[in-house]
Amino acid sequence: MKNLFLIFCLLLFVPILSCTKEQPDNPEQLPEWLQTKITELVPDQKSCWITDVTISEYKKKRYYHVYCGLWSCVYCQFFDEQGNRPSWTENEWNEFLANQKVIKTLPACN
């Protein structure tokens, strides 16, 4: 009877634990950490209409590029799936730019 109970518990909890993901599968939904970052970067709602997020995939990882038309710096607000900025060499940046797959570009603010 104990073995049957253990098997039941495993069948119940394994699917629940395996369903947790840190990034959304839906490219329309931005991760929560990125939404917080956008709020910090674009506190003035007037510049929200010229700010967008480009979601790219490169080497099976997702990257987020936040850009406002008022900023003079390109790829200054560029993050990986965990919200970290890649510390790439010039060659790695060139490879990314040449081989990235743009998934979607979305408005930064709703």
Side-chain angles (χ1 to χ4, degrees), residues 6-20:
L6 286 173
I7 291 171
F8 173 76
C9 288
L10 284 173
L11 290 173
L12 180 66
F13 290 110
V14 169
I16 293 171
L17 295 175
S18 66
C19 288
T20 59

Side-chain angles (χ1 to χ4, degrees), residues 77-89:
Q77 301 302 326
F78 182 75
F79 308 98
D80 65 11
E81 298 166 331
Q82 287 77 38
N84 302 314
R85 294 182 183 179
S87 56
W88 291 337
T89 64

Side-chain angles (χ1 to χ4, degrees), residues 5-106:
F5 178 74
L6 286 173
I7 291 171
F8 173 76
C9 288
L10 284 173
L11 290 173
L12 180 66
F13 290 110
V14 169
I16 293 171
L17 295 175
S18 66
C19 288
T20 59
K21 291 187 176 183
E22 292 196 18
Q23 76 177 31
D25 286 332
N26 180 0
E28 298 286 330
Q29 181 182 0
L30 299 175
E32 191 172 317
W33 64 262
L34 184 58
Q35 293 171 0
T36 303
K37 179 68 76 178
I38 290 168
T39 303
E40 294 170 5
L41 293 171
V42 190
D44 179 15
Q45 291 296 313
K46 293 176 186 172
S47 59
C48 234
W49 64 277
I50 56 172
T51 305
D52 59 14
V53 178
T54 301
I55 304 168
S56 300
E57 191 172 271
Y58 173 67
K59 292 187 176 181
K60 298 183 181 181
K61 291 186 180 182
R62 199 168 278 184
Y63 293 91
Y64 301 90
H65 176 220
V66 181
Y67 182 72
C68 175
L70 299 175
W71 299 343
S72 61
C73 181
V74 179
Y75 286 101
C76 287
Q77 301 302 326
F78 182 75
F79 308 98
D80 65 11
E81 298 166 331
Q82 287 77 38
N84 302 314
R85 294 182 183 179
S87 56
W88 291 337
T89 64
E90 183 178 347
N91 288 338
E92 289 171 314
W93 273 105
N94 290 335
E95 185 178 325
F96 167 78
L97 294 171
N99 298 313
Q100 71 175 318
K101 176 187 171 195
V102 175
I103 298 172
K104 190 97 173 171
T105 299
L106 301 169

